[in-house]
Amino acid sequence: MPSFPLLEAIFIFLLSGVRPSHPLQEVHVSRETIGKISAASKMIRCSAAVDVLFLIDGSYSVGKGSFERSKHFAVTVCDALDIGPERVRVGALQFGSVPRLEFPLDSFSSPREVKANMKSVVFKGGRTETGLALKYLLRKGFPGGRNASVPQILIVVTDGRSQGHVAAPAKQLKERGVTVFAVGVRFPRWEELHVLASEPREQHVLMAEQVEDATNGLLSTLSKSDICTVASPDCQVQPHPCERKTLETVRELVGSALCWRGSRGTDAVLVALCPFSSWKRVVLTHPATCYRTTCPGACDSQPCQNGGTCVPEGLDRYRCLCPPAFGGEANCAPKLSPECRIDVLFLLASSAGTTLDGFLRAKAFVKRFVQASLGEDSRARVGVARYSGELMVAVPVGEYQDVPDLLRSLDGIPFGGGATLTGGALRQAAERGFGSAARTGQDRPRRVVVLLTESPSQDDVAGPARRARARELLLLGVGTEAVRAELEEITGSPERVLVYTGPHDLFRQTRELQGKLCSRPPPGCQARSLDLVFALDASASVGPENFARMQSFVRSCALRFDVNPDVTQVGLVVYGGQVRVAFGLDTHATRAAVLRAVSQAPYLGGVGSAGTALLHIHDKVMTVQRGARPGVPKAVVVLTGGLGAEDAAVPVRKLRNNGVSVLVVGVGPVLREALRRLAGPRDSLLHVATYGDLRHHQDALIEWICGEAKRPVNLCKPSPCMHEGTCILQNGSYRCECQDGWQGPHCGKRSLRGDAPKARGSRRDPSQQLPRSEHPGR
């Protein structure tokens, strides 16, 4: 006779062939909301100190296929965890007839290691002894964990069909403070999952087979306890009606039939009606409430006009299905002509690096712009040139009969191939790109060069771009992320650059380009001498995407200053689990070098301390030996979400007492009290609602910096004297009194045998800057 496990395996095999066609859990919301739930799960990050143990059902009733889906769910959850020895620890235990530890909580210290070992866990089989596995944890605790010093989270992934009692051990675990999530797999028995789960149970019971929805539900619950945070403050945890299903095999009375029964003691045969039944599989439904995080979608603002239908493509992108009359327009808007009189030359990269596909996309973009902007009353005139090694003006500005004639000329421009010499093309465009279209005097329109490229230049672009701007040409750039920094250098401002991610995204830039053709950005304080340091919060509470937004903001600000050793010097410090000087004040002597270095600044993660970062700036960055210049105003701009600022009050006061201005840029829907204390009594706090809104506050930041650059300067603050030398003001200048053993203008040189006299040489007028070779430490 076959053993019981074999019969059980045969029974499960027979049942597995009849899977319901509908999902085992349905959230009853619109398809758009389902998309928002899926996208929001990727925006949640968990970075607190917490022990997370996955208890995965590996019994025969689950089966190998559902076991693999359980592992996939665990790996997906790990993507949102900031795994590290001091933050989130993850372990895994598989159970069947007996529990088996796959790896303890202290085994691996990186997400890559945890996910790789989770994927390598092998299906074990056996009975479903859930209660036995829970008793194992009651006896031994969380293997490799930190006991009760940090929160403990148990994620049980099972079909809820235990062959033993689970209520008592589950209750004891929860009484010890363990948070239990019960995650169903295969055809779950929801009643048992509710017994396992912590209160409130609707928020701790999930369905692993819909992995993105289940991940969202788990992280949403943890976000309420501050273990996890959502990247956008506009995202919210909301209740949604949902319906859960269980597949059961029930006995059903079919009817009665004649049956014959003998009677003891007689030869008669008795006839009677006997009932008979059949076994039937039924789906039982369980109405419930699911709690999920949703974020505002791209279509929430109803961007499509004139009856157009908005179709979301991700969390922040969309496309419009327009009525026929507006089919060629961005957002189904009517045609908009530029508000100023302009001559526009489109400069299309036609090199091997851009490729034929990229060249055709650029031509299609120009055609879309022409169709949307040019008409009988248009104040704009357009020309088109292509370049690789040489510039070829295919359509001189304004020299076409009508719009159809211009479009035909566009179609006839051939692809060139060859090297990408963008610098040479800019020089030639400035000299002859506008041809006979150039007009003089008050009748002269604004002249604009719109550069479209996907390939980095193989020659210098800074010089030709600077000369083109000096000839009163407005330079605008349209390209991919790969050339963003180069386009910012060419145009002179991130505000004059449009970056796209794909063909649809490129065509959506038409309206943005129309708005930039007539814009005139306000100038910065270009001629002011200044030592400026940015301190960026690169901790896990900010996240890599928001850190990239801060980098873009710093690049945009740097473009408003004349960066060179005699005017403005810029430094950058990032802080998270550690403090790192991305580059010092005297590292880069040009604006282009600063822009590249800002883009390469590392995201650190970990727990940040603004106080430690500011103290590092005071001791190691704003010093003469690291490039700070005596007699030059000094400013520090701190960009942070506010976490980790509690210890910064004393270091920021130390900086200000030494003549360094400090501005705090706090990002978040609520301004933290620690940031208010950090800002101090003067108006040195700038509150920004979201990281995406930073660009709207650039002018306010520049105005503050320029104001600080005009403040009176104390030549001895911060002290230019090294090695504990004393700075003494004297007749509009200063001198350093050195300690024994040191000499020189800044006490930077050792005296021979320690018997040299103290340096008392008076300094020259501070307005005459030291040559770079005289700066100590160079």
Side-chain angles (χ1 to χ4, degrees):
M1 181 175 179
S3 65
F4 177 76
L6 178 59
L7 288 174
E8 182 184 21
I10 294 171
F11 178 67
I12 295 300
F13 173 77
L14 293 173
L15 280 181
S16 65
V18 191
R19 187 181 178 88
S21 60
H22 40 266
L24 301 178
Q25 176 175 280
E26 294 178 332
V27 180
H28 292 287
V29 292
S30 67
R31 180 171 296 182
E32 181 182 356
T33 302
I34 294 293
K36 291 180 181 180
I37 289 172
S38 176
S41 63
K42 299 178 178 62
M43 299 181 65
I44 305 177
R45 185 77 176 164
C46 309
S47 188
V50 61
D51 288 347
V52 178
L53 180 65
F54 286 94
L55 183 60
I56 302 177
D57 188 343
S59 65
Y60 289 128
S61 65
V62 167
K64 191 174 188 308
S66 293
F67 180 75
E68 292 299 320
R69 286 189 286 276
S70 301
K71 293 196 304 179
H72 177 58
F73 164 73
V75 169
T76 305
V77 171
C78 289
D79 285 333
L81 306 181
D82 186 13
I83 296 174
E86 304 302 322
R87 298 182 298 279
V88 182
R89 293 186 184 180
V90 176
L93 189 148
Q94 180 186 176
F95 70 93
S97 300
V98 294
R100 181 174 70 186
L101 180 64
E102 299 295 347
F103 54 89
L105 287 150
D106 56 357
S107 294
F108 309 112
S109 58
S110 72
R112 181 182 59 81
E113 293 176 308
V114 170
K115 292 194 291 185
N117 283 271
M118 188 73 74
K119 292 176 183 177
S120 66
V121 173
V122 178
F123 178 65
K124 182 182 178 183
R127 300 186 306 276
T128 311
E129 295 290 353
T130 313
L132 194 62
L134 297 177
K135 292 174 183 177
Y136 173 90
L137 295 177
L138 287 170
R139 290 196 315 273
K140 298 192 174 184
F142 274 34
R146 288 164 281 190
N147 300 322
S149 60
V150 301
Q152 294 178 315
I153 298 173
L154 179 65
I155 303 175
V156 186
V157 190
T158 177
D159 61 359
R161 297 172 183 271
S162 178
Q163 292 170 294
H165 297 291
V166 299
K171 181 181 178 183
Q172 292 177 50
L173 274 173
K174 288 179 281 189
E175 287 173 348
R176 292 186 183 183
V178 178
T179 300
V180 182
F181 285 90
V183 185
V185 70
R186 195 169 170 78
F187 309 119
R189 184 168 289 155
W190 296 98
E191 295 85 351
E192 183 171 311
L193 297 185
H194 278 77
V195 171
L196 291 169
S198 294
E199 295 285 352
R201 288 172 178 168
E202 292 293 358
Q203 298 178 30
H204 290 81
V205 174
L206 305 161
M207 184 67 206
E209 311 238 359
Q210 282 103 32
V211 63
E212 290 184 343
D213 176 76
T215 303
N216 183 302
L218 188 145
L219 301 178
S220 297
T221 301
L222 294 181
S223 68
K224 292 186 175 181
S225 58
D226 293 331
I227 292 174
C228 303
T229 56
V230 189
S232 171
D234 297 326
C235 301
Q236 294 182 341
V237 179
Q238 296 177 326
H240 301 291
C242 58
E243 189 174 76
R244 293 162 176 165
K245 300 178 175 65
T246 302
L247 186 67
E248 297 286 357
T249 304
V250 298
R251 187 172 182 174
E252 186 177 67
L253 178 65
V254 176
S256 301
L258 292 175
C259 59
W260 287 264
R261 295 179 179 175
S263 176
R264 183 176 298 177
T266 69
D267 294 332
V269 176
L270 299 179
V271 179
L273 289 175
C274 301
F276 68 93
S277 303
S278 66
W279 292 93
K280 184 179 180 180
R281 291 164 60 89
V282 296
V283 176
L284 305 179
T285 60
H286 308 267
T289 301
C290 292
Y291 291 82
R292 302 292 183 262
T293 298
T294 55
C295 303
C299 291
D300 287 1
S301 61
Q302 299 180 343
C304 302
Q305 304 175 38
N306 297 302
T309 302
C310 183
V311 179
E313 295 180 340
L315 197 60
D316 56 355
R317 290 185 297 203
Y318 66 91
R319 60 187 174 92
C320 292
L321 300 178
C322 303
F326 302 94
E329 313 305 328
N331 292 352
C332 312
K335 289 187 176 181
L336 294 175
S337 296
E339 298 175 356
C340 58
R341 297 183 62 231
I342 54 172
D343 285 345
V344 183
L345 177 67
F346 285 95
L347 191 56
L348 313 184
S350 178
S351 63
T354 299
T355 72
L356 176 59
D357 287 342
F359 179 67
L360 294 177
R361 277 195 296 272
K363 287 207 300 182
F365 174 79
V366 176
K367 291 176 68 174
R368 182 71 62 90
F369 174 85
V370 167
Q371 291 169 331
S373 304
L374 300 188
E376 294 181 0
D377 300 327
S378 176
R379 306 179 70 190
R381 302 194 305 169
V382 171
V384 184
R386 68 145 171 103
Y387 76 92
S388 52
E390 290 290 332
L391 180 75
M392 186 194 85
V393 180
V395 183
V397 174
E399 295 188 13
Y400 49 87
Q401 299 298 320
D402 50 26
V403 171
D405 179 47
L406 175 57
L407 296 177
R408 284 191 295 271
S409 300
L410 271 169
D411 289 333
I413 301 176
F415 176 68
T420 309
L421 303 182
T422 307
L426 289 169
R427 176 178 52 79
Q428 296 174 65
E431 293 171 354
R432 58 184 179 88
F434 291 85
S436 61
R439 288 169 279 182
T440 59
Q442 295 181 350
D443 191 42
R444 180 177 178 176
R446 190 177 198 185
R447 297 187 300 163
V448 184
V449 175
V450 180
L451 172 64
L452 287 96
T453 180
E454 297 180 355
S455 177
S457 179
Q458 295 171 262
D459 63 350
D460 174 62
V461 297
R466 190 163 52 247
R467 287 189 287 273
R469 295 198 299 269
R471 298 179 68 160
E472 297 184 1
L473 289 181
L474 172 64
L475 303 183
L476 301 176
V478 182
T480 59
E481 187 66 40
V483 293
R484 178 199 287 270
E486 183 174 287
L487 291 178
E488 290 176 356
E489 182 177 3
I490 290 171
T491 63
S493 170
E495 299 299 321
R496 298 175 189 157
V497 175
L498 301 174
V499 175
Y500 59 88
T501 57
H504 291 297
D505 192 31
L506 169 61
F507 297 141
R508 280 195 290 268
Q509 305 297 331
T510 305
R511 190 177 181 88
E512 292 290 327
L513 177 61
Q514 289 173 330
K516 293 182 182 296
L517 288 172
C518 297
S519 64
R520 296 183 183 272
C525 42
Q526 294 276 349
R528 290 282 175 180
S529 295
L530 181 68
D531 286 344
L532 176 62
V533 175
F534 289 93
L536 304 188
D537 187 346
S539 66
S541 65
V542 171
E545 291 184 4
N546 289 329
F547 180 72
R549 292 187 178 100
M550 288 196 290
Q551 286 176 293
S552 178
F553 178 68
V554 172
R555 287 198 306 268
S556 177
C557 293
L559 283 164
R560 304 277 286 273
F561 295 94
D562 184 6
V563 178
N564 70 64
D566 297 318
V567 186
T568 300
Q569 293 188 143
V570 178
L572 177 64
V573 172
V574 295
Y575 67 92
Q578 57 182 308
V579 178
R580 187 178 300 180
V581 179
F583 55 91
L585 286 166
D586 60 349
T587 303
H588 300 299
T590 66
R591 185 163 52 192
V594 167
L595 294 177
R596 285 192 295 270
V598 171
S599 299
Q600 295 166 1
Y603 169 71
L604 302 175
V607 179
S609 166
T612 303
L614 290 169
L615 196 61
H616 191 88
I617 291 172
H618 179 277
D619 296 340
K620 300 294 178 64
V621 180
M622 281 292 188
T623 62
V624 170
Q625 55 267 42
R626 299 302 172 97
R629 297 165 294 175
V632 174
K634 294 169 175 57
V636 174
V637 177
V638 183
L639 282 85
T640 176
L643 293 178
E646 294 78 7
D647 62 347
V650 173
V652 79
R653 188 160 56 246
K654 190 173 183 181
L655 278 167
R656 288 181 175 135
N657 290 341
N658 278 285
V660 180
S661 302
V662 181
L663 175 69
V664 180
V665 181
V667 185
V670 179
L671 190 60
R672 297 179 181 273
E673 186 59 34
L675 293 183
R676 296 185 188 276
R677 293 195 300 271
L678 187 58
R682 287 202 303 118
D683 187 16
S684 299
L685 177 64
L686 189 62
H687 181 217
V688 182
T690 68
Y691 290 94
D693 291 335
L694 278 169
R695 56 195 176 92
H696 301 307
H697 297 266
Q698 178 183 327
D699 291 344
L701 174 62
I702 297 298
E703 182 181 354
W704 179 87
I705 292 174
C706 294
E708 296 304 302
K710 298 175 185 176
R711 291 174 60 81
V713 176
N714 185 331
L715 298 178
C716 287
K717 288 187 176 183
S719 175
C721 307
M722 297 182 289
H723 303 113
E724 300 183 358
T726 303
C727 180
I728 300 175
L729 293 173
Q730 189 175 54
N731 299 325
S733 185
Y734 70 92
R735 62 184 176 86
C736 290
E737 281 196 357
C738 304
Q739 296 287 331
D740 289 340
W742 299 98
Q743 63 181 2
H746 295 106
C747 308
K749 297 180 180 179
R750 285 190 178 276
S751 59
L752 298 176
R753 305 181 184 277
D755 55 357
K758 296 180 181 180
R760 301 180 185 275
S762 177
R763 298 286 294 139
R764 69 190 77 179
D765 191 308
S767 63
Q768 300 174 0
Q769 296 298 327
L770 282 173
R772 289 180 71 82
S773 60
E774 291 186 35
H775 279 244
R778 297 196 191 278

